[in-house]
C-alpha cells in the first residue's frame, strides 16, 4: 500500500512488511513465546528488580537490543521501522512494559544515540558489551530539581586540565541497580558554560558516565508501583573526573543531542505501547466472548463492544503513526549521515520528526492505560486478579503517563510549537 | 486385464488382525468376495490357527526366522509378493508404527493409494472403498476414496471390536513368499520408557481440582494416567493455595489440548476451562450436579471421585488387557 | 561430512483454520501456512548433525503455493541451500504423486547421504511421504526416530514403538523420519535471518523436473469432502447403579469415540 505524503516532494510511504521483516518479527515472537511467557512475566513483576540476566542475554543473542546500531559498531544495522516492529512484539509479550522500558526505550533508543556521538573508547568499553547483554547503558536525565525543564538542570562539568569534573545528582533513573550489578554507565547532561537566560538550552554538554567511576554514588532504588522488573534509582556525582573521551557529541550541543535521544526512546515507547494494547485485547476478547451474563456473552453487549471498537481503532491509528514516524526517522538519519550533520536532514526536518514522535509518545501510553482499565472493567472481578496481566500493564504504562521519557504535556507543547511557531511556546 | 479380488487383513499384532477381521468380514460380504488373514512370523503356527475363530475364509501364513525382529522389509517383501500374485482389492493393515511404515512402502511399491488411521470404512456405489479419517489436528473430518487398486488402509487398535469367536473350519495355508532382508540392523531392543512429553502436548490428561482431599490422592490419578499413557495435572488453587504443585492447568498456566481430558473434583471455573477447551473429549467427574464443568463436558459423571476413579481403573485394566 | 536433504511441507496451520458456520466447511484455502512442526524437528536435527560432523543441509519443499518465506525461514535456522518445487498443479496431489515429485527433485539436487522428514505432517498426519520416498529411491528408512547419531558411514537411531524402543543401525544413504521428542527447533537470531537473505533459494516447476501433467493427475486417493466436527459438547450424563457400571459405560463410550486407542 502506498500513500502520498507530500505532493511537492512526491514521496511514497510503503509500510508493507518485507519478507525479511516478517521473518525477524517471527523469530522475536517465537523467542518471546518460549522465554517471556505470561507466567514468567507475572513472576518477574511480582518479584521485582533486578531484571533477570538470563533474559537479557537471550534478548542480546537474539539481536533485539540496539539492533539499529550499525553492523560496524556491533549492532545489526536494522532500520527503525524494523526495530519498531520488534518493540511492538516485546510490548506484546511483556505488557508490564518492563522489558520494553529497559531494553527498547532506554538501551535501544538511548544506546543508539550514545553510539552516534561517543568515542571509540566508550563504544568498545560500554556500547558493544551492552549490545551483547553484558552491561547496561542508559539515560540519566531527570534531576531532583525537575525533569521536563532540561535546560534548568543543575549538574555541572568544569574542564580542569584535560579532564572534565562533574558534580550533580540525577533521580528517577531507569536501571541503576542493573547497571550497578552488571556494569555500564549513563548519558549525563551537564552545564559546561554560562546560563543564557533567553536560550537556557545552550552551553550544555553530554557525557557518558561509567557507573563505577570514582565519585559516582548510586542511590537505593525507589519502590515503584509498576514495571517492577526494572529498577528506578538515581546517582550522585561528586567530583567525577572524566577524560574528554567520555564526552558525547559536541561541546555545548548537549541539549540537541538529548532531544535526538528522546526521539529514539519515545519512538520505542509508542511502538511498545501498541504491542501492550494488542496483548490486552487478545487476552480480554476470548473472555468476553465466552463469559455469559443474563444469558448473553459480554461481547454481545454494545456498551462493551463499542468501547472495544474504539480502543481497537485507536490502536491501529497508533500503529500506523508509529510506522510512519519510524520511516521518517530512517530518512532523517540517512540524510544526516555519520558524523552527524543535522543540517543535512532536508526531507523531514528533525523538528517535524519530533512532532510525530511526540504524537505517538503522547498517544501510546494513554491508550495503553485506557485499554488496561477497560479490560479490567469488562472482565469484572476476574480481570482485577493477577491471573491476568491487565493490572500489571496499567501500573507499568502509567510510568510513561506520569512522565518517563518526557511529560505528556510536554509532548503537546512540542506539537503546538510545530503547528503554531516557536513564539507560541509558553515557556523556555 | 486382471481383476482384483479379495479382502486381506494383516498386522504383526494378531489381536489387531482379529479386530480388523470383523470389519473385513462385512466388506468381503458386501463385495461378495473372500476374506483372508495374512500371518507372517516366526514359530507362529499356533497363533495362526487361533485366528481361525475370527471369521476369515482362509489364513495365509509364512513362517520364517526372517520375520523374527518385526522389521519392515521382510513384511514388505512378503506382502508385495503375495499382493502382486493374488491381487486383493482391499488390504487392511494394522496401524501400529511398524504397520504405518509398512503400508506406505507397500503402497509405493504397488503404486497405489493408502488411507491411514481410518475411523470408518464403507463400500460405495462403484464398489470402491471409502474411508473417513480425522485431519487438521482434530479440526476436520475427511472422507476419501480410492482411484487405484489394491486399496490399502491402516486401522488403529480398538477401531473395531474383535468378532465373537466361532468354530467355523478355516483353511490355514502355508505360502511361499519372497524373502527380503532388512537393510537396517536391530542393535538393541529396550522396554519402552514413558516418553516425557510436555502436558501441553499430551494426548491424554487427567486433572484434579479442589475436590481432591490430600496430595497423596493424586496417586490414583497417576495410576489412571499411566494406564492410558497420559499425564496428570492440577488446577491453580492446588498450586497457589495448597502449594501441592508448582504448575497448573488453566488460563494463566498450562493450556492443554488432549484427545481425552478427565477432570476430577473440578468445579469448572472459567479460568480452568479456558485451559482445556481445545480437548477433543472432556469427561467430568464431580459430586456436585450443578458444577459448571458439566456445561463444557461431553460425558458428565455425578459421583464421588474416590469411588469412580478406582472403578475406572479396574475397568480399564480389564479392557486394555490383551 | 554428510549431505543432508530435509523435506519440509508447507502445511496448513491447523490452529488457524476458520469454519463456515453455515455449511460447516473448512476454509482451508484462506488458512495461513507454515513449515509443518515435525519437519522443523527434522530440519533442526539435520543442522545439529552438520554442526557436529560438518557437511551440508539442503531444504526441499513441494508446494502449489509460494513457499519461499518458509524456505527462507529454513535458511535462517541453518540450512545452506533451499529448493522449492512450486506448481499449482500439485494442489490436489496425493502422497503417491507428491513422493514421486520429491524423488525427482532429490535426483535433481544430486547426491545425498541422509534424507530427514518429520514423522508426519501436522495437517494430514498420514506419515506416508517419508517411507514412500525411501521406497522410490530404493534406500532403507528408519521411522519415528527420537535420537540419532552417526558412526562412520552408518546412522544409529533410536525409535520408540508401542511396546519397546529399538536401536537400529543403517548404512547411508538412508531416510529418517523423526518425532517431535527428538529436539526443540531453534529460534534463529536476527543475524541468522539477515544472513538467510544471501543464501541460495532455487525455484523449480514440474517441467523443470520432467514431471508430466499426466503423472501429476494420476492420483490414487481422492478427497470427497472435509468438514468440521460438531463443536458443541455432548453433555451426555453417564449414570448407573454403582461405580462399576458407570465406569464400564464411560469406557465403552470413550472407546467408541476413539480417544482410548492408538
Amino acid at each position: 500500500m502506498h500513500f502520498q505524503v507530500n505532493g511537492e516532494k512526491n514521496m511514497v510511504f510503503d509500510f508493507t512488511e518485507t519478507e525479511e521483516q516478517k521473518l525477524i518479527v517471527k523469530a522475536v515472537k517465537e523467542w518471546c513465546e518460549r522465554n517471556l511467557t505470561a507466567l514468567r512475566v507475572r513472576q518477574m513483576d511480582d518479584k521485582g528488580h533486578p531484571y533477570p540476566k538470563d533474559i537479557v542475554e537471550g534478548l542480546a543473542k537474539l539481536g533485539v537490543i540496539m539492533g539499529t546500531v550499525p553492523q560496524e559498531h556491533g549492532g545489526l544495522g536494522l532500520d527503525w521501522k524494523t526495530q519498531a516492529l520488534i518493540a511492538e512484539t516485546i510490548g506484546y509479550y511483556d505488557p508490564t512494559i518492563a522489558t520494553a522500558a529497559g531494553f527498547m526505550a532506554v538501551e535501544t533508543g538511548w544506546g543508539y544515540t550514545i553510539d552516534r556521538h561517543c568515542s571509540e573508547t566508550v563504544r568498545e568499553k560500554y556500547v558493544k558489551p551492552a549490545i551483547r547483554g553484558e552491561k547496561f547503558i542508559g539515560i540519566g536525565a531527570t534531576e531532583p530539581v525537575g525533569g521536563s525543564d532540561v535546560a534548568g538542570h543543575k549538574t555541572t562539568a568544569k574542564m580542569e586540565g584535560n579532564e572534565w569534573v562533574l558534580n550533580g545528582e540525577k533521580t528517577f533513573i531507569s536501571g541503576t541497580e542493573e547497571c550497578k550489578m552488571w556494569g555500564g554507565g549513563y548519558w549525563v547532561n551537564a552545564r559546561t558554560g554560562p546560563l543564557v537566560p533567553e536560550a537556557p538550552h545552550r552551553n550544555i554538554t553530554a557525557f557518558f558516565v561509567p557507573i563505577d567511576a570514582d565519585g559516582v554514588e548510586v542511590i537505593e532504588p525507589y519502590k515503584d508501583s509498576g514495571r517492577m522488573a526494572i529498577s528506578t534509582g538515581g546517582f550522585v556525582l561528586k567530583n567525577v573526573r572524566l577524560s574528554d573521551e567520555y564526552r558525547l557529541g559536541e561541546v555545548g550541543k548537549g541539549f540537541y543531542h538529548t532531544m535526538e535521544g528522546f526521539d529514539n526512546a519515545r519512538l520505542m515507547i509508542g511502538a511498545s505501547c501498541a504491542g501492550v494494547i494488542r496483548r490486552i485485547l487478545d487476552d480480554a476478547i476470548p473472555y468476553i466472548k465466552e463469559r455469559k451474563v443474563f444469558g448473553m456473552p459480554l461481547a454481545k453487549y454494545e456498551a462493551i463492544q463499542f468501547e472495544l471498537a474504539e480502543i481497537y481503532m485507536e490502536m491501529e491509528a497508533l500503529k500506523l503513526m508509529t510506522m510512519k514516524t519510524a520511516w521518517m526517522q530512517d530518512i532523517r538519519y540517512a540524510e544526516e549521515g555519520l558524523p552527524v550533520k543535522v543540517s543535512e536532514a532536508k526531507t523531514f526536518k528533525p523538528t517535524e520528526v519530533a512532532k510525530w514522535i511526540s504524537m505517538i509518545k503522547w498517544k501510546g501510553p494513554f491508550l495503553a492505560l485506557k485499554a488496561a482499565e477497560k479490560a479490567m472493567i469488562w472482565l469484572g472481578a476476574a480481570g482485577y486478579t493477577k491471573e491476568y496481566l491487565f493490572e500489571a500493564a496499567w501500573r507499568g504504562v502509567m510510568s510513561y503517563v506520569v512522565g518517563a521519557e518526557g511529560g505528556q504535556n510536554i509532548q503537546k507543547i512540542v506539537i503546538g510549537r510545530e503547528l503554531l511557531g516557536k513564539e507560541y511556546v509558553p515557556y523556555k | 486385464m486382471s481383476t482384483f479380488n479379495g479382502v486381506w487383513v494383516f498386522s504383526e499384532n494378531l489381536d489387531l488382525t482379529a479386530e480388523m477381521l470383523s470389519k473385513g468380514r462385512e466388506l468381503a460380504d458386501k463385495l461378495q468376495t473372500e476374506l483372508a488373514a495374512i500371518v507372517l512370523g516366526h514359530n507362529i503356527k499356533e497363533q495362526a490357527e487361533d485366528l481361525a475363530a475370527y471369521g476369515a475364509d482362509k489364513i495365509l501364513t509364512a513362517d520364517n526366522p526372517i520375520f523374527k525382529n518385526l522389521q519392515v522389509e521382510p513384511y514388505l517383501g512378503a506382502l508385495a509378493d503375495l499382493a502382486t500374485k493374488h491381487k486383493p482389492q482391499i488390504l487392511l493393515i494394522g496401524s501400529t508404527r511398524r504397520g504405518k511404515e509398512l503400508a506406505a512402502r507397500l503402497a509405493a511399491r504397488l503404486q497405489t493409494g493408502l488411507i491411514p488411521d481410518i475411523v470408518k470404512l464403507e463400500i460405495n456405489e462403484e464398489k470402491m472403498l471409502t474411508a473417513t479419517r480425522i485431519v487438521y489436528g482434530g479440526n476436520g473430518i475427511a472422507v476419501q476414496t480410492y482411484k487405484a487398486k489394491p486399496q490399502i488402509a491402516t486401522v488403529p487398535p480398538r477401531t473395531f471390536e474383535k468378532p465373537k469367536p466361532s468354530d467355523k473350519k478355516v483353511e490355514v495355508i502355508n505360502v511361499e513368499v519372497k524373502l527380503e532382508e532388512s537393510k537396517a540392523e536391530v542393535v538393541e531392543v529396550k522396554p519402552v520408557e514413558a516418553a516425557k512429553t510436555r502436558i501441553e502436548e499430551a494426548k491424554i490428561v487427567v486433572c484434579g481440582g479442589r475436590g481432591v482431599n490430600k496430595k497423596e490422592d493424586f496417586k490414583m490419578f497417576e495410576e489412571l494416567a499411566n494406564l492410558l499413557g497420559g499425564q496428570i495435572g492440577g488446577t491453580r488453587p492446588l498450586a497457589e493455595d495448597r502449594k501441592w504443585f508448582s504448575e497448573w492447568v488453566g488460563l494463566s498456566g498450562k493450556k492443554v489440548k488432549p484427545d481425552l481430558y478427565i477432570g476430577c473434583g473440578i468445579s469448572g471455573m472459567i479460568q480452568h476451562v479456558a485451559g482445556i477447551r481445545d480437548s477433543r473429549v472432556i469427561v467430568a467427574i464431580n459430586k456436585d450436579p450443578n458444577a459448571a464443568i458439566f456445561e463444557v463436558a461431553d460425558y458428565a459423571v455425578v459421583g464421588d471421585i474416590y469411588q469412580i476413579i478406582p472403578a475406572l481403573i479396574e475397568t480399564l485394566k480389564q479392557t486394555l488387557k490383551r | 561430512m554428510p549431505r543432508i536433504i530435509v523435506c519440509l511441507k508447507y502445511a496448513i496451520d491447523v490452529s488457524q483454520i476458520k469454519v463456515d458456520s453455515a455449511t460447516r466447511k473448512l476454509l482451508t484455502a484462506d488458512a495461513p501456512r507454515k513449515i509443518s512442526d515435525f519437519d522443523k524437528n527434522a530440519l533442526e536435527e539435520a543442522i545439529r548433525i552438520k554442526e557436529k560432523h560438518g557437511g551440508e543441509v539442503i531444504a526441499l519443499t513441494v508446494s502449489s503455493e509460494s513457499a519461499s518465506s518458509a524456505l527462507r525461514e529454513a535458511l535462517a535456522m541453518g540450512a545452506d541451500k533451499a529448493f522449492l518445487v512450486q506448481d499449482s498443479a500439485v494442489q490436489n496431489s496425493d502422497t503417491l504423486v507428491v513422493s514421486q515429485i520429491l524423488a525427482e527433485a532429490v535426483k535433481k539436487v544430486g547426491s545425498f547421504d541422509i534424507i530427514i522428514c518429520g514423522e508426519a505432517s501436522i495437517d494430514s498426519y498420514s506419515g506416508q511421504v517419508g517411507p514412500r520416498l525411501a521406497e522410490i529411491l530404493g534406500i532403507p528408512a528408519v521411522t519415528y526416530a527420537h535420537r540419532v547419531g552417526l558412526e562412520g558411514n552408518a546412522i544409529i537411531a533410536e525409535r520408540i514403538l508401542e511396546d519397546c524402543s529399538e536401536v537400529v543401525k543403517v548404512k547411508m544413504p538412508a531416510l529418517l523420519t523423526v518425532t517431535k521428542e527428538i529436539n526443540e527447533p531453534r529460534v534463529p537470531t536476527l543475524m541468522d535471518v539477515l544472513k538467510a537473505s544471501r543464501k541460495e533459494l532455487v525455484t523449480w516447476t514440474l517441467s523443470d523436473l520432467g514431471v508430466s501433467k499426466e503423472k501429476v493427475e494420476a492420483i490414487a486417493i481422492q478427497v470427497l469432502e472435509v468438514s468440521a466436527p460438531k463443536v458443541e459438547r455432548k453433555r451426555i450424563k453417564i449414570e448407573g447403579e454403582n461405580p462399576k457400571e458407570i465406569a464400564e459405560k464411560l469406557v465403552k463410550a470413550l472407546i467408541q469415540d476413539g480417544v482410548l486407542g492408538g
Side-chain angles (χ1 to χ4, degrees):
Chain A
M1 268 159 106
H2 287 57
F3 283 99
Q4 202 73 18
V5 164
N6 187 322
E8 57 207 74
K9 290 205 169 78
N10 204 36
M11 290 231 70
V12 284
F13 170 33
D14 181 0
F15 53 85
T16 43
E17 285 171 34
T18 63
E19 207 176 79
E20 197 173 75
Q21 277 174 331
K22 283 195 193 138
L23 259 183
I24 285 177
V25 170
K26 188 165 198 267
V28 178
K29 178 171 175 264
E30 275 171 17
W31 188 93
C32 288
E33 270 168 1
R34 293 184 197 186
N35 298 284
L36 271 181
T37 59
L39 189 59
R40 183 96 202 254
V41 167
R42 167 52 71 193
Q43 286 168 346
M44 280 162 61
D45 196 71
D46 284 347
K47 181 173 171 281
H49 55 76
Y51 195 91
K53 193 91 198 297
D54 65 295
I55 297 188
V56 175
E57 284 164 0
L59 288 170
K61 184 157 175 267
L62 182 59
V64 302
I65 300 181
M66 286 189 262
T68 48
V69 166
Q71 289 196 3
E72 313 85 74
H73 293 176
L76 289 176
L78 302 176
D79 61 13
W80 282 107
K81 289 192 297 300
T82 307
Q83 190 71 45
L85 292 171
I86 294 170
E88 199 271 358
T89 310
I90 299 283
Y92 184 95
Y93 284 96
D94 179 7
T96 72
I97 222 168
T99 309
F103 304 99
M104 294 293 108
V106 173
E107 274 211 324
T108 297
W110 284 98
Y112 173 83
T113 319
I114 290 172
D115 180 72
R116 269 170 77 75
H117 299 288
C118 70
S119 67
E120 198 54 40
T121 302
V122 170
R123 185 170 297 119
E124 283 302 314
K125 285 177 88 163
Y126 299 100
V127 174
K128 285 183 176 176
I131 296 176
R132 294 193 298 266
E134 294 160 14
K135 290 189 180 167
F136 184 85
I137 58 177
I139 171 64
T142 307
E143 294 197 353
V145 66
S148 301
D149 191 0
V150 174
H153 287 173
K154 299 265 182 276
T155 301
T156 57
K158 285 190 175 63
M159 196 62 158
E160 276 178 24
N162 59 355
E163 282 181 320
W164 292 97
V165 182
L166 277 73
N167 278 285
E169 190 181 343
K170 302 288 178 183
T171 62
F172 296 113
I173 306 303
S174 301
T176 50
E177 193 181 323
E178 287 80 7
C179 192
K180 192 167 126 185
M181 282 174 75
W182 309 337
Y186 279 92
W187 175 310
V188 167
N189 287 333
R191 182 160 285 290
T192 47
L195 171 62
V196 177
E198 322 85 66
H201 53 275
R202 288 194 209 143
N203 299 327
I204 294 175
T205 306
F207 295 91
F208 185 85
V209 178
I211 200 75
D212 57 355
D214 240 342
V216 176
E217 190 193 308
V218 178
I219 301 168
E220 178 89 12
Y222 292 94
K223 284 192 167 61
D224 275 322
S225 84
R227 29 173 274 193
M228 308 304 285
I230 189 106
S231 62
T232 307
F235 46 84
V236 178
L237 305 171
K238 280 203 180 95
N239 294 321
V240 177
R241 309 187 88 88
L242 297 174
S243 79
D244 197 45
E245 277 190 312
Y246 284 82
R247 172 169 50 89
L248 293 172
E250 293 178 51
V251 176
K253 286 288 198 318
F255 183 86
Y256 300 101
H257 300 324
T258 303
M259 290 307 114
E260 191 197 322
F262 276 124
D263 283 350
N264 293 324
R266 289 168 186 172
L267 171 60
M268 293 288 91
I269 291 305
S272 312
C273 284
V276 172
I277 298 160
R278 185 168 63 91
R279 172 61 179 275
I280 289 171
L281 297 186
D282 273 358
D283 284 353
I285 288 174
Y287 186 98
I288 60 176
K289 281 168 94 167
E290 173 85 32
R291 177 69 158 198
K292 289 201 171 92
V293 69
F294 301 116
M296 200 160 84
L298 290 174
K300 240 182 156 178
Y301 289 90
E302 282 151 320
I304 290 178
Q305 221 180 81
F306 286 3
E307 289 183 337
L308 170 63
E310 276 181 41
I311 293 174
Y312 176 75
M313 250 191 273
E314 293 298 318
M315 177 191 76
E316 289 294 350
L318 172 65
K319 275 160 76 173
L320 286 174
M321 287 166 71
T322 304
M323 288 316 284
K324 179 173 167 183
T325 307
W327 172 74
M328 292 166 74
Q329 187 76 324
D330 283 331
I331 292 173
R332 167 248 185 117
Y333 272 132
E335 290 176 353
E336 280 183 1
L338 261 182
V340 182
K341 281 199 179 56
V342 174
S343 53
E344 288 301 303
K346 294 205 163 65
T347 308
F348 299 114
K349 288 207 178 52
T351 45
E352 189 180 348
V353 181
K355 177 184 72 182
W356 278 84
I357 299 264
S358 284
M359 283 161 68
I360 62 173
K361 202 277 166 179
W362 185 92
K363 191 177 179 68
F366 269 132
L367 186 60
L369 198 72
K370 181 172 174 187
E373 179 191 285
K374 288 296 176 188
M376 284 194 274
I377 295 174
W378 299 334
L379 268 69
Y384 189 61
T385 69
K386 294 197 172 189
E387 281 246 19
Y388 290 91
L389 286 167
F390 306 131
E391 57 81 35
W394 191 93
R395 286 185 285 107
V397 304
M398 182 59 100
S399 86
Y400 289 102
V401 171
V402 304
E405 299 298 347
Q408 294 297 73
N409 291 338
I410 294 295
Q411 310 314 314
K412 287 187 176 170
I413 303 276
V414 172
I415 297 166
R417 180 189 72 205
E418 289 309 302
L419 290 177
L420 305 166
K422 266 203 288 214
E423 56 274 31
Y424 288 91
V425 175
Y427 26 74
K428 295 243 178 283
Chain B
M1 255 254 280
S2 46
T3 42
F4 289 80
N5 265 307
V7 174
W8 285 13
V9 156
F10 170 77
S11 177
E12 79 277 6
N13 177 331
L14 295 180
D15 285 313
L16 189 38
T17 303
E19 287 173 12
M20 292 192 284
L21 282 172
S22 72
K23 188 65 178 181
R25 182 76 267 160
E26 184 194 306
L27 297 174
D29 290 344
K30 261 226 177 83
L31 293 166
Q32 292 175 317
T33 187
E34 271 197 335
L35 172 64
I38 318 292
V39 180
L40 305 170
H42 184 48
N43 294 331
I44 36 85
K45 186 165 179 287
E46 252 186 70
Q47 292 108 297
E49 283 165 3
D50 287 344
L51 262 184
Y54 296 109
D57 295 310
K58 57 180 186 240
I59 298 172
L60 306 182
T61 169
D63 194 322
N64 193 294
I66 205 177
F67 300 118
K68 203 169 54 160
N69 284 326
L70 312 181
Q71 286 182 287
V72 167
E73 287 103 318
Y75 292 141
L76 173 66
L79 282 174
D81 187 24
L82 289 171
T84 308
K85 282 198 194 108
H86 302 285
K87 295 195 163 6
Q89 68 204 101
I90 290 175
L91 179 42
L92 301 181
I93 297 181
S95 194
T96 57
R97 284 187 162 181
R98 299 183 206 276
K100 291 214 286 214
E101 184 187 336
L102 165 65
R105 284 200 86 128
L106 184 61
R109 189 170 288 193
L110 300 177
Q111 301 226 56
T112 187
L114 162 63
I115 299 177
D117 294 324
I118 58 93
V119 165
K120 237 170 36 177
L121 285 172
E122 275 157 346
I123 304 291
N124 67 14
E125 280 134 23
E126 285 89 37
K127 298 229 180 279
M128 293 293 275
L129 192 57
T130 296
T132 303
R133 63 185 299 259
I134 306 216
V135 294
Y136 302 142
N139 290 322
I141 298 181
V143 180
Q144 299 171 319
T145 191
Y146 295 81
K147 295 242 155 282
K149 286 183 182 157
Q151 306 165 91
I152 309 181
T154 70
V155 181
R158 291 182 290 278
T159 306
F160 303 116
E161 256 180 63
K162 246 190 218 180
K164 292 216 168 8
S166 82
D167 41 359
K168 168 176 158 204
K169 278 273 167 253
V170 177
E171 244 194 307
V172 176
I173 307 168
N174 280 310
V175 288
E176 287 287 314
V177 293
K178 185 157 152 244
L179 296 177
E180 192 168 318
E181 289 279 352
S182 175
K183 291 209 195 94
E185 181 198 330
V186 177
V187 168
E188 198 188 339
V189 177
K190 302 194 274 205
V192 66
E193 41 171 76
K196 253 303 152 207
T197 25
R198 306 184 309 147
I199 198 174
E200 292 102 316
E201 323 264 303
K203 286 212 143 32
I204 297 186
V205 173
V206 179
C207 237
R210 272 211 283 240
V212 182
N213 296 329
K214 308 192 299 296
K215 185 175 175 193
E216 291 68 49
D217 296 340
F218 261 79
K219 279 214 163 41
M220 67 178 172
F221 300 139
E222 254 183 70
E223 196 184 343
L224 177 59
N226 285 337
L227 262 179
L228 299 171
Q231 298 200 29
I232 52 167
T235 58
R236 189 177 173 147
L238 268 53
E240 294 269 279
D241 304 333
R242 298 187 189 177
K243 309 243 184 280
W244 287 359
F245 310 112
S246 57
E247 295 172 338
W248 60 91
V249 173
L251 176 68
S252 58
K254 310 264 173 195
K255 293 198 188 70
V256 300
K257 47 178 167 71
D259 289 337
L260 173 61
Y261 162 91
I262 304 178
C264 314
I266 291 178
S267 61
M269 289 182 64
I270 197 171
Q271 285 84 349
H272 179 69
V273 169
I276 65 168
R277 46 187 12 268
D278 291 333
S279 312
R280 208 165 115 212
V281 172
I282 293 181
V283 174
I285 307 165
N286 195 306
K287 260 199 293 219
D288 176 9
N290 296 316
I293 196 154
F294 291 135
E295 291 290 302
V296 297
D298 293 292
Y299 299 107
V301 177
V302 179
D304 182 354
I305 52 171
Y306 290 96
Q307 297 199 318
I308 304 288
I309 300 297
L312 204 49
I313 289 172
E314 273 316 300
T315 307
L316 282 167
K317 278 190 182 152
Q318 294 295 318
T319 316
L320 298 177
K321 195 158 64 171
R322 291 244 154 256
Chain C
M1 302 264 286
R3 194 160 193 247
I4 310 171
I5 299 180
V6 182
C7 297
L8 304 173
K9 183 177 180 184
Y10 192 45
I12 292 171
D13 186 348
V14 300
S15 63
Q16 310 260 31
I17 304 178
K18 292 198 169 67
V19 184
D20 181 324
S21 45
T23 60
R24 276 215 352 256
K25 266 203 151 60
L26 287 159
L27 304 168
T28 51
D30 299 328
R33 291 182 179 245
K34 59 170 180 167
I35 298 178
S36 174
D37 298 10
F38 304 108
D39 294 346
K40 253 199 180 163
N41 294 103
L43 176 59
E44 173 65 30
E45 198 59 26
I47 296 167
R48 288 187 191 191
I49 293 174
K50 180 180 86 158
E51 284 170 346
K52 197 165 177 201
H53 300 274
E56 196 187 5
V57 174
I58 296 169
L60 171 61
T61 296
V62 172
S63 180
S64 58
E65 318 211 355
S66 171
S68 57
S69 58
L71 283 169
R72 203 55 80 180
E73 190 183 344
L75 291 170
M77 279 176 69
D80 301 291
K81 284 198 194 106
F83 292 89
L84 168 61
V85 178
Q86 184 188 343
D87 204 304
S88 54
V90 306
Q91 202 174 34
N92 294 318
S93 295
D94 62 359
T95 52
L96 172 73
V97 169
V98 168
S99 48
Q100 285 172 343
I101 297 172
L102 274 171
E104 290 304 315
V106 166
K107 287 184 197 147
K108 198 170 164 81
V109 165
S111 68
F112 63 89
D113 299 292
I114 313 173
I115 299 180
I116 313 186
C117 308
E119 68 176 74
S121 66
I122 39 150
D123 49 4
S124 49
Y125 202 81
S126 83
Q128 295 188 47
V129 167
R132 278 183 180 269
L133 184 56
E135 180 64 22
I136 298 172
L137 296 173
I139 57 176
V142 180
T143 56
Y144 302 103
H146 84 127
R147 240 197 297 274
V148 169
L150 298 192
E151 219 177 70
N153 66 343
I155 299 170
I156 313 276
E158 188 175 324
R159 51 199 298 245
I160 293 200
L161 302 168
E162 287 80 5
D163 49 358
C164 66
S165 78
E166 265 183 6
V167 177
V168 174
K169 184 173 177 178
V170 69
K171 274 212 195 75
M172 298 188 260
L175 181 141
L176 299 172
T177 78
V178 301
T179 65
K180 73 163 115 66
E181 283 77 34
I182 195 169
N183 59 41
E184 191 181 25
R186 68 192 61 193
V187 175
T189 66
L190 301 197
M191 180 59 97
D192 293 335
V193 173
L194 295 179
K195 284 195 187 139
S197 314
R198 299 194 284 270
K199 292 184 180 175
E200 201 185 339
L201 202 172
V202 176
T203 309
W204 287 325
T205 58
L206 289 179
S207 52
D208 288 331
L209 295 179
V211 174
S212 68
K213 193 161 175 279
E214 292 75 43
K215 193 155 191 196
V216 175
E217 288 169 359
I219 55 172
I221 300 294
Q222 186 175 49
V223 180
L224 296 175
E225 71 159 29
V226 186
S227 55
K230 275 223 282 280
V231 188
E232 303 100 54
R233 295 289 173 186
K234 295 197 280 208
R235 292 199 216 146
I236 294 174
K237 278 211 181 87
I238 304 274
E239 290 165 324
E241 297 284 307
N242 49 54
K244 181 166 188 275
E245 197 183 319
I246 293 175
E248 282 171 358
K249 278 193 188 163
L250 180 58
V251 169
K252 191 159 184 213
L254 293 177
I255 288 178
Q256 270 216 310
D257 283 351
V259 291
L260 284 185

